[in-house]
Amino acid sequence: MASSSTPIEDTIRQKITTALQPSTLKIYNDSHLHAHHKAMEDSTSSETHFRVIITSDAFQSKMQPARHRLVYGLLKEEMAREGGIHALQLRTMTPEEEKRRKEQEAPAENAK
Amino acid sequence: MSAIKEIMSLDGWTQHVSSLPPSALLIVSFYAPWAAPCAQMATVLSTLASEYPVTEPLSTSWVSVNAEDLSDISEAYNVTAVPFLVLIRNGQVLELVSGNSAVKVRNAIESHATQPARSGSATGGQAANGDAATVEKSSTELTPEEAEKQKEDLFKRLSDLVKAAPVMLFMKGTPSEPKCGFSRQLVAILRENAVKYGFFNILADDEVRQGLKEFADWPTFPQLWVDGELVGGLDIVKEELASNADFFSAYSAKASGDNSAAPS
């Protein structure tokens, strides 16, 4: 494959997939929403802010902070490095939680 | 470990001042209970005070004065705005610090205290603030034991700081002037839920900023702590509220009808 224009997103996808075998993995690059912020003034990267949704059995019996730490741990280098990931928003669910959430959202859909 | 004593009356003030040895540094914090920046200053001062040992004879004395209730005292020192810090030794005013810069307050106190909290720590946090990725170390050479001790002291300070209020928000900026979108959103959520909370501006103290990342094993800010435990950042708080709308009800001002609670 030719060199990617989204190396950080690729790394996120690869590391999470390998470590957590997620049944759902969605990565949203929100960098453009923050590009004009003062904190991003000197940034040249277009891969600074990400929102990631992960469903995995690896999150069973873990509270939210522990789940987030698991993911942060995988991306430690990318988050610590200059010009790397500046912000990472996570939604971490187990398969049961994902199912329950879809059911909660479904009635609203049916009411339309 | 020193603590801040609240002065309740003009007599109490006179009595306290006359009981101090001439060498003691008297640190007076003027506040108003309705002013949000005073809550942060109280947090900053109590953690700072805890780093100073109680000595015999007393080397530092820390007091707080309600500037409106005890107007005789606040007028004597020309206190026109809060928070306001006055440093006095042997009746002589050494320095005044107006406003809520934790950095200025810490520097002023450290420069006048004859017995510093930790040797070689006076420059910590101010010396090399260019590289935000490294934990601040003193500019003097530290032996491994000293470095270990300094870290222990920092962690002790942080462990007190996260418990400074039942709900503590470590954010970028202040509730009235957030410096980051996620911090701003979290402040809004706390306000919507009428939560009473203490806040700490991590942009004003690099030692806490880097130390807390290690202490909490959490790389990002804002961080919300409840009852001394890390809840998480904006994303986790939103999730918790989505699954439980009463997540904050135990900490909200609604029950008591106290409308001076949430800082704006």
Side-chain angles (χ1 to χ4, degrees):
Chain A
M1 205 156 73
S3 79
S4 167
S5 58
T6 58
I8 296 185
E9 185 172 326
D10 296 342
T11 304
I12 296 176
R13 189 173 304 277
Q14 183 240 314
K15 285 188 171 179
I16 293 181
T17 304
T18 307
L20 305 177
Q21 280 109 47
S23 51
T24 300
L25 176 58
K26 296 187 195 160
I27 304 176
Y28 299 96
N29 184 337
D30 285 343
S31 309
H32 60 285
L33 298 173
H34 301 265
H36 57 287
H37 289 175
K38 194 133 181 42
M40 294 288 105
E41 221 165 35
D42 301 320
S43 169
T44 49
S45 168
S46 60
E47 292 196 292
T48 56
H49 293 64
F50 287 96
R51 197 172 17 112
V52 184
I53 299 179
I54 313 168
T55 301
S56 163
D57 268 321
F59 296 137
Q60 294 284 5
S61 64
K62 288 197 170 76
M63 302 273 286
Q64 292 291 348
R67 299 179 186 188
H68 283 46
R69 285 198 182 97
L70 188 51
V71 179
Y72 288 153
L74 295 172
L75 298 166
K76 196 171 168 149
E77 197 275 315
E78 290 78 10
M79 291 182 79
R81 97 160 91 110
E82 184 81 28
I85 301 174
H86 178 84
L88 187 59
Q89 294 222 84
L90 301 174
R91 178 175 300 157
T92 50
M93 298 175 281
T94 59
E96 296 76 31
E97 285 165 359
E98 187 188 37
K99 180 157 178 283
R100 226 182 307 142
R101 199 188 178 101
K102 288 200 169 126
E103 280 162 13
Q104 274 175 351
E105 286 162 4
E109 284 295 309
N110 292 339
K112 288 188 191 164
Chain B
M1 237 199 56
S2 299
I4 303 181
K5 178 189 152 105
E6 166 102 42
I7 300 285
M8 305 305 290
S9 65
L10 188 51
D11 281 343
W13 166 259
T14 317
Q15 199 174 39
H16 183 82
V17 170
S18 56
S19 73
L20 295 173
S23 56
L25 176 66
L26 176 59
I27 295 148
V28 190
S29 165
F30 288 90
Y31 72 95
W34 46 260
C38 293
Q40 175 173 31
M41 185 50 61
T43 307
V44 168
L45 284 173
S46 62
T47 26
L48 206 50
S50 67
E51 293 168 20
Y52 286 79
V54 178
T55 56
E56 185 60 50
L58 205 59
S59 58
T60 59
S61 168
W62 306 67
V63 300
S64 63
V65 175
N66 182 322
E68 291 175 325
D69 288 349
L70 300 174
S71 53
D72 288 333
I73 308 175
S74 45
E75 274 162 35
Y77 294 96
N78 257 323
V79 176
T80 46
V82 284
F84 197 91
L85 196 79
V86 181
L87 300 178
I88 303 169
R89 179 173 275 128
N90 201 16
Q92 166 104 341
V93 174
L94 299 176
E95 194 167 335
L96 308 168
V97 184
S98 180
N100 64 347
S101 162
V103 165
K104 272 170 128 180
V105 160
R106 178 181 253 262
N107 283 345
I109 293 173
E110 283 180 354
S111 66
H112 293 288
T114 46
Q115 282 186 39
R118 303 185 293 276
S119 56
S121 73
T123 54
Q126 314 317 319
N129 60 5
D131 183 358
T134 59
V135 176
E136 291 302 317
K137 294 266 191 294
S138 156
S139 59
T140 59
E141 284 292 305
L142 290 178
T143 64
E145 296 83 37
E146 283 170 330
E148 181 65 43
K149 180 78 175 61
Q150 190 172 72
K151 188 156 173 178
E152 240 175 64
D153 288 345
L154 174 59
F155 276 28
K156 172 77 181 64
R157 181 181 165 210
L158 292 174
S159 122
D160 287 339
L161 199 51
V162 302
K163 294 179 210 142
V167 179
M168 270 300 286
L169 175 64
F170 293 84
M171 63 180 289
K172 294 186 174 181
T174 62
S176 45
E177 259 195 76
K179 298 288 187 196
C180 130
F182 298 158
S183 290
R184 182 179 300 112
Q185 286 182 57
L186 199 31
V187 166
I189 289 176
L190 292 172
R191 183 185 314 130
E192 271 155 31
N193 288 273
V195 179
K196 296 200 253 212
Y197 65 99
F199 71 89
F200 193 95
N201 178 1
I202 52 107
L203 295 179
D205 189 326
D206 209 55
E207 197 179 36
V208 168
R209 181 179 184 172
Q210 301 313 323
L212 195 51
K213 284 183 186 176
E214 204 184 324
F215 179 79
D217 187 17
W218 198 263
T220 54
F221 290 102
Q223 290 184 13
L224 191 73
W225 291 68
V226 172
D227 293 331
E229 299 274 330
L230 176 66
V231 169
L234 176 66
D235 43 10
I236 293 185
V237 172
K238 287 206 265 195
E239 294 281 325
E240 297 287 4
L241 276 171
S243 54
N244 174 15
D246 286 324
F247 186 69
F248 287 121
S249 51
Y251 308 96
S252 93
K254 285 185 192 145
S256 57
D258 176 2
N259 61 7
S260 67
S264 55

